[in-house]
Amino acid sequence: MGHGLGAVKEMGLDAFAERFCDAGYACLVFDYRHFGDSDGRPRQLLSIPRQLDDWAAAIAYARSIDAVDATRVVCWGSSFGGGHAMVAAARDGRVAAVIAQCPFTSGTASVLALDPRTALKVTARGIADVAAAAVRRKPVMIGLVGRPHESALMTAPDAAPGYLGLVPQGYPFVNEVAARVGLQIPFHHPGRVLAELRCPVLVCVCDDDSVAPARQTVRYARRGPTTQLLRYPTGHFDIYVGDAFEEAVADQVDFLDRVVPLAGF
């Protein structure tokens, strides 16, 4: 189980994992390198290729656990991690199923969701960060979330309260990331791999998603030969809490019970 853009496992993944464990499934929840409890310097460096390598490592580790059936590993990802779960499964080729929740599927769609002023600021700081890395200076940072028009990756009105509201009280969360990722995101389109996946896939879409626009995700999901699409009348950050969480996690447990049933295990 992997989280989204700059998020750590304590930001809501524990609640999903607890429900899956209560239903009889084992969960491996991890932080990406450079974030949370994982190693990696400099801190707050988000590299898409490295995060996909982390997914591959997590899948391999799960298969190595004696109590785990190596043929029944499921990738579960949320937001940016939802896109990673799709790509990781496609690259691996032996994953039993995928659950992608409010997934990032199209860099183009997500960038167009930013206002032009913010997009310009993110691009400028991204170029500055790449230049700093070239001469081995410390990273140039931008916010993960911010208010409208600020220099941050997510600036929709519901982004800052929704995202930061998932941080547990007292957790030393850092609301920034090396800006170079802002140059990578527009060219990242993980939703395209849904057409290639042959394992069962559940895509949970938030219709009022301000971060990972629903329209393109729905288009990708409808191209997936093994993809089940569920839609919820909520925003991107609502699915982690309250009634939206209860509905989504129940649907996800039902999906697991169908595609990797526990009978006989």
Side-chain angles (χ1 to χ4, degrees):
M1 298 179 66
H3 217 321
L5 199 68
V8 294
K9 60 185 183 298
E10 288 81 3
M11 293 169 63
L13 296 201
D14 49 351
F16 283 92
E18 286 172 5
R19 292 298 183 88
F20 298 147
C21 289
D22 288 344
Y25 298 94
C27 293
L28 173 64
V29 189
F30 68 96
D31 285 329
Y32 301 107
R33 69 184 79 182
H34 306 290
F35 292 91
D37 289 334
S38 289
D39 296 333
R41 296 286 176 180
R43 303 303 291 168
Q44 306 301 117
L45 174 64
L46 200 165
S47 163
I48 293 172
R50 292 181 185 183
Q51 291 197 344
L52 289 171
D53 287 345
D54 293 343
W55 271 93
I59 293 169
Y61 178 74
R63 288 184 175 135
S64 75
I65 299 172
D66 289 339
V68 171
D69 181 347
T71 68
R72 290 156 54 87
V73 171
V74 177
C75 291
W76 185 101
S78 193
S79 192
F80 210 62
H84 285 341
M86 298 173 187
V87 176
R91 291 183 175 183
D92 179 80
R94 296 187 294 126
V95 166
V98 175
I99 298 175
Q101 172 179 280
C102 56
F104 170 93
T105 58
S106 168
T108 301
S110 290
V111 169
L112 290 176
L114 289 173
D115 68 88
R117 192 185 313 177
T118 296
L120 184 61
K121 289 178 180 178
V122 169
T123 301
R125 293 190 71 81
I127 293 171
D129 186 34
V130 170
V135 294
R136 299 187 178 182
R137 292 185 179 177
K138 66 179 183 179
V140 175
M141 311 300 280
I142 54 173
L144 286 161
V145 289
R147 293 174 296 184
H149 310 308
E150 288 187 339
S151 179
L153 296 177
M154 296 177 281
T155 59
D158 65 330
Y163 185 93
L164 297 177
L166 298 174
V167 180
Q169 186 173 4
Y171 185 89
F173 183 74
V174 180
N175 181 26
E176 63 179 17
V177 66
R180 68 196 73 173
V181 71
L183 304 180
Q184 302 171 19
I185 288 174
F187 304 101
H188 188 46
H189 296 84
R192 292 173 178 170
V193 304
L194 286 176
E196 307 170 12
L197 284 170
R198 294 299 180 266
C199 66
V201 180
L202 176 64
V203 175
C204 300
V205 172
C206 299
D207 282 335
D208 299 325
D209 202 315
S210 63
V211 174
R215 179 179 297 180
Q216 186 58 56
T217 299
V218 170
R219 288 174 180 166
Y220 282 135
R222 287 175 174 165
R223 298 172 191 168
T226 59
T227 299
Q228 177 186 353
L229 174 66
L230 295 179
R231 303 179 68 167
Y232 304 88
T234 61
H236 186 85
F237 303 98
D238 298 325
I239 202 166
Y240 297 97
V241 296
D243 291 342
F245 162 77
E246 295 292 344
E247 183 178 1
V249 75
D251 288 339
Q252 292 168 19
V253 170
D254 286 345
F255 174 78
L256 291 172
D257 287 343
R258 284 187 287 108
V259 302
V260 283
L262 294 171
F265 287 87

